[in-house]
Amino acid sequence: MSDVRHVLVLPDRDAAEEAAEALGERFGLTEEPQLVRDALAGEDDAEDAQWLLVVEDPDEVLDPAALDAFAGEWDGWREEP
């Protein structure tokens, strides 16, 4: 078992919450992704934050390209490790 994580970067909380729900359904995740607020440097307003979905993939079964395309549906992307 490895320690693989995928991080999807999404533009706002609504997109992140919708994507988190859809992610489990589409990819058959057994564990819910972790939702994390990532404030941009120097930004005080919560509206100026990106949201991250951290997806654990210990068995390395998730396709990075498919996750990137999935995040793109919400104007986001997958961070490269």
Side-chain angles (χ1 to χ4, degrees), residues 2-23:
S2 68
D3 190 27
V4 174
R5 287 185 185 99
H6 301 281
V7 177
L8 306 182
V9 181
L10 298 155
D12 57 49
R13 183 179 188 145
D14 289 340
E17 288 175 344
E18 289 176 25
E21 187 175 319
L23 189 67

Side-chain angles (χ1 to χ4, degrees), residues 1-6 30 55-62:
M1 193 180 272
S2 68
D3 190 27
V4 174
R5 287 185 185 99
H6 301 281
T30 57
V55 182
E56 300 292 336
D57 186 18
D59 298 325
E60 298 183 52
V61 296
L62 298 173

Side-chain angles (χ1 to χ4, degrees), residues 11-52:
D12 57 49
R13 183 179 188 145
D14 289 340
E17 288 175 344
E18 289 176 25
E21 187 175 319
L23 189 67
E25 294 171 6
R26 186 173 306 177
F27 293 95
L29 301 179
T30 57
E31 188 175 320
E32 196 169 318
Q34 181 182 6
L35 191 62
V36 179
R37 180 180 177 268
D38 183 33
L40 301 174
E43 299 294 339
D44 295 328
D45 189 351
E47 296 300 316
D48 293 325
Q50 295 175 327
W51 286 79
L52 309 177

